[in-house]
Structure formats: structure tokens, C-alpha cells
Amino acid sequence: MTYDLTDLQLFLQVVDQGSITRGADRSHLSLASASARVKAMEKALGAPLLIRHRRGVVPSPAGWLLVAHAREIVGQIARMRSELSRYSDGLRATLVISANTSATETLVSSVIVDFMADNPDIDLELEERPSHEIVAAVTDGRAELGIIADTVDSGRLERAVLRPDPLVVITRPGHALAARAHVAFSECLGHPFVGFTEGNPLQEHLSGQTQPLGLRPRYRAHLPTTEAICSAVAVGVGIAVVPARAVVRWQRTYDLRVVDLTNSWAKRNLLLCSQRWSGLSEAAAALAARLKAHGEHAATPDDGGAEDA
């Protein structure tokens, strides 16, 4: 059997997507090329790796064994490239980390700035994605570290809780919801909303919560940042759902009321995840330790700790 790295990466994408077509697309291969590679892998093994059915594909027993080995190999190669790159002429180590919207706005940026200042030989690429896509990226070895909400299935990834990350509703003073201590998301849908721009991971998450209700919020505006949303809410454009920590710093600038959401999906924690802590590159292990330490000492949202959020 001679499986190359492209074969292994393709096979993982096919399994994760449950479809050869979608796996080919995620691997930037044509369907014909992807199908030929999978068939060649099965021919070399002498046994099926996938079980085909009308809705897609699932791994055979041999396929599941290949998945386990492929994930380890792809992850090891990614870490090898990261660590060796610092010894290449003119190149330095580049660490890839994926994080959801809340993490990029309230946690990662401040930690990363300090980390990079202390490690001038390490470059870092931060990707903002929905939590479920982060799980796939870390599982496949496309990112060494991920920061996700604990409301998604993290599979076999190893995890560490960083801190609570609840979602809340914000309103202007005098709004019908402003005096409430807590509210269900369904009760908010009769009011106009201000949201993040389309494609924002948190916006995608909220859209997913409205579908089972059979209702859609009426958005008066989609804005790019939490500050822009807070400013719009403060003058009565609409209400918004945002991470509690993200709004803390802007409460000093804008007069806002914060209402807790009773929905279980709003009571989140931020998790740091990786394939295996013991298999991280030196750069990723150092950043993971910094993030964990920051999470342990993070201030609560209402104690004036916005600078650390």
C-alpha cells in the first residue's frame, strides 16, 4: 500500500463530510480525481474503506482504522512542518490557531499580542470560524489549536475549559425587555434586531437557533463589530445577542441594559482543544499554556475585568 499525504487528507475530508463529493470539494480536487484516489486506495488494500449508501458514505471497519492512523499522520506532519520551518533560511515558525467570534473579541487578541511580543521567532495565523468548523480543522491537523464553545461536539479532541462565555441580550434603557432579569430567545423575536455581518461565526450560530422555532428575527442592520452593534442598540435601532464579556468594555461608553438568556445554548464555556496536548509543537504548547493560565485568572464579566476579557 502506498498512500500519499493527499490520499490521507482526502480520505479524512470524505469521512468528516460524509460524502466523496463534498470531501473532494474541501480537498480542492475534482470529483473524478477524488473517486479515483479512493478506489485506488481500496484496490491497494484489497478491501473496501467506505460503505456507500444513498445519503453518502461511512467508513468500513478498515476505514475507521485508517481514519485513526491518518489523523495521527496528518497531525504529525503539520507539527513537523511548523517546527522545522523555524530552521529554514528566511522562514520562521507559523502557528495556526482557529477561534470562534467570542474568543477573537474577548480573549485571544490580548493573549496573542503578549505571546508574540515574548516570542519574536514565532509567526501566528488566527482564523475566525464557527466552532463546528474549528473542530474539523483541528481534527484534520489544519490548525494545531482551536477555541470553541462547549455547545458543539468536539469528538475525540482533548479539551480544557478556559472560562464561562454566556450569550446575553442587550437593549437600550426603557426598552420593553430592559427591566427583565432573564428572557428566552423566543420572547425576543418580536423585536427588531441588530446583528453581525453575514458569514460571522456567531451570526451563523444564532441563525441556527431560530430555525427550529420556525421564526426569523427581523434584522434592521448587520454590523461588523461588537462596538458598532452596541452603539446601534444604545440609540434604539434594535436589540442584539452578544457574548457577555464582549459587551462589558462598551458599557462604559454606551448606556446599555444586559439581560440573561435562559436557553441552554446561551450558557456556554470556551474550550481550548487540540488533537493531543502531548503532541503539540513547542510553539503551540507554549501558547496553550499561556491561554490556560489566562483562563484560570480571567476576571468575571461584572468585576471590571474587561481589559482581560
Side-chain angles (χ1 to χ4, degrees), residues 134-136 138-139 148 154-159 273-276:
I134 296 171
V135 170
V138 176
T139 299
I148 62 175
S154 54
R156 298 182 179 181
L157 297 179
E158 296 187 357
R159 304 167 300 278
C273 61
S274 76
Q275 287 186 352
R276 289 183 299 115

Side-chain angles (χ1 to χ4, degrees), residues 154-290:
S154 54
R156 298 182 179 181
L157 297 179
E158 296 187 357
R159 304 167 300 278
V161 177
L162 293 178
R163 60 165 173 74
D165 185 47
L167 296 175
V168 296
V169 176
I170 56 173
T171 77
R172 63 171 176 79
H175 189 275
L177 299 177
R180 299 278 296 270
H182 46 75
V183 65
F185 186 57
S186 59
E187 297 179 79
C188 301
L189 297 179
H191 302 278
F193 275 74
V194 179
F196 289 95
T197 51
E198 296 297 332
N200 176 278
L202 178 55
Q203 192 64 36
E204 291 184 9
H205 174 67
L206 292 175
S207 297
Q209 304 308 321
T210 63
Q211 292 175 1
L213 300 175
L215 299 170
R216 296 184 62 183
R218 180 173 72 87
Y219 283 96
R220 293 194 63 199
H222 289 280
L223 302 174
T225 66
T226 300
E227 181 186 10
I229 289 174
C230 288
S231 66
V233 170
V235 297
V237 174
I239 64 174
V241 175
V242 295
R245 285 179 176 268
V247 75
V248 170
R249 68 185 64 183
W250 304 119
Q251 280 186 290
R252 300 172 181 176
T253 304
Y254 306 104
D255 190 7
L256 299 168
R257 298 294 180 266
V258 177
V259 184
D260 292 336
L261 279 166
T262 59
N263 305 77
S264 58
W265 50 261
K267 303 180 187 304
R268 317 182 305 173
N269 289 303
L270 281 184
L271 304 180
L272 180 66
C273 61
S274 76
Q275 287 186 352
R276 289 183 299 115
W277 301 126
S278 60
L280 291 175
S281 65
E282 291 182 13
L287 179 57
R290 185 77 65 97

Side-chain angles (χ1 to χ4, degrees), residues 7-29:
D7 289 335
L8 299 180
Q9 291 174 322
L10 167 65
F11 190 74
L12 291 176
Q13 290 287 4
V14 168
V15 170
D16 288 340
Q17 298 299 317
S19 163
I20 295 178
T21 300
R22 291 195 295 272
D25 184 62
R26 293 291 293 268
S27 300
H28 307 291
L29 295 172

Side-chain angles (χ1 to χ4, degrees), residues 23-190:
D25 184 62
R26 293 291 293 268
S27 300
H28 307 291
L29 295 172
S30 68
L31 177 58
S33 175
S35 297
R37 281 182 174 271
V38 172
K39 289 179 181 177
M41 293 170 69
E42 292 179 318
K43 182 178 180 180
L45 177 63
L49 293 169
L50 297 172
I51 299 173
R52 281 83 168 169
H53 53 81
R54 286 183 300 174
R55 295 183 179 179
V57 296
V58 295
S60 66
W64 280 119
L65 183 60
L66 178 59
V67 166
H69 287 290
R71 292 204 193 286
E72 185 171 352
I73 291 168
V74 170
Q76 286 178 338
I77 290 175
R79 290 189 290 274
M80 178 190 71
R81 286 174 172 168
S82 176
E83 294 199 3
L84 286 178
S85 66
R86 71 177 63 192
Y87 298 104
S88 301
D89 184 26
L91 295 178
R92 300 188 299 179
T94 299
L95 173 61
V96 179
I97 177 173
S98 293
N100 64 7
T101 300
S102 182
T104 58
E105 286 206 358
T106 65
L107 173 66
V108 177
S109 58
S110 60
V111 177
I112 283 178
V113 168
D114 291 340
F115 177 79
M116 296 187 71
D118 295 338
N119 296 274
D121 58 332
I122 297 174
D123 292 338
L124 191 144
E125 181 180 343
L126 174 63
E127 303 170 333
E128 183 177 330
R129 297 184 177 187
S131 291
H132 68 277
E133 290 188 9
I134 296 171
V135 170
V138 176
T139 299
D140 293 347
R142 288 175 281 128
E144 276 204 81
L145 294 172
I147 302 180
I148 62 175
D150 62 359
T151 50
V152 300
D153 183 2
S154 54
R156 298 182 179 181
L157 297 179
E158 296 187 357
R159 304 167 300 278
V161 177
L162 293 178
R163 60 165 173 74
D165 185 47
L167 296 175
V168 296
V169 176
I170 56 173
T171 77
R172 63 171 176 79
H175 189 275
L177 299 177
R180 299 278 296 270
H182 46 75
V183 65
F185 186 57
S186 59
E187 297 179 79
C188 301
L189 297 179

